[in-house]
Amino acid sequence: MEGERPLDDELQRLREERLRKLEERLTGTPGGVIEVADGTFQTILQEHRALVVDVWAEWCGPCRMVAPVVEDLARDFAGRVTFGKCNVDENPRIASSFSITAIPTLLFFANGMLVDRVVGALPREAVKARVMRAFGTG
C-alpha cells in the first residue's frame, strides 16, 4: 500500500533513535563519560580501577563550566581512567555518603577507595594534574 511507506520510515527512525539512546545509556554519554547513579554506583566502582565522578546539578553554573573539562579529559585518559557524572538532585545517596555540600565536586577513586576530592570549578590543567597525581598516569 502506498500510504504505509512513510509510516515504515517513521517506525525505522524511531527504532534507530531508541537504539542510539539505549547504547548511550549503556556505554556512557558522548565523550566517554558514563552516568553514575545511586543504584549503579557500587558496580561502577568495582568495574573501574581508576574512576573520577563529577557530582553536579542542572541548575549549577560552575558545573556547566566543569562538564566540558571532564568530557575532554575522558577522551585524553580513555582506557586508563574512567570519568562519570552523577546528578546530585537525582542521586541523593551518593551525595550524602560522601558529605557533598558544594558542587561541582570531583571524586577520585582508585581501586574502589576515595583518594582525592576537588570542590569547585578548576581549570582543565589543574584537574588533569590531580588525575595524574591520583592515578599515576601521564
Side-chain angles (χ1 to χ4, degrees):
M1 305 226 180
E2 281 182 44
E4 290 182 27
R5 183 41 108 196
L7 183 59
D8 288 346
D9 291 346
E10 179 67 10
L11 284 173
Q12 183 61 32
R13 189 190 64 70
L14 289 171
R15 282 188 193 106
E16 289 170 3
E17 173 87 7
R18 285 192 69 188
L19 180 60
R20 184 184 60 73
K21 285 184 178 177
L22 181 61
E23 284 174 345
E24 213 171 79
R25 223 179 20 234
L26 293 173
T27 61
T29 56
V33 179
I34 63 174
E35 290 293 327
V36 177
D38 285 342
T40 61
F41 179 65
Q42 288 303 319
T43 302
I44 290 171
L45 203 54
Q46 291 170 0
E47 291 175 352
H48 301 278
R49 294 172 36 98
L51 174 66
V52 178
V53 178
D54 174 17
V55 182
W56 68 287
E58 192 75 39
W59 47 265
C60 168
C63 296
R64 287 193 295 273
M65 293 169 38
V66 168
V69 170
V70 168
E71 291 168 7
D72 191 35
L73 292 175
R75 283 187 292 275
D76 288 358
F77 287 96
R80 296 174 288 162
V81 178
T82 302
F83 286 78
K85 295 182 74 62
C86 176
N87 185 320
V88 73
D89 291 332
E90 297 170 2
N91 301 286
R93 283 195 329 235
I94 291 173
S96 170
S97 63
F98 293 100
S99 302
I100 293 173
T101 57
I103 53 174
T105 295
L106 299 177
L107 301 173
F108 297 74
F109 297 92
N111 299 314
M113 302 294 295
L114 182 65
V115 295
D116 197 4
R117 170 190 304 243
V118 170
V119 178
L122 294 184
R124 182 189 186 286
E125 289 307 311
V127 176
K128 182 177 180 179
R130 297 290 279 266
V131 170
M132 292 169 61
R133 188 173 75 206
F135 306 116
T137 62

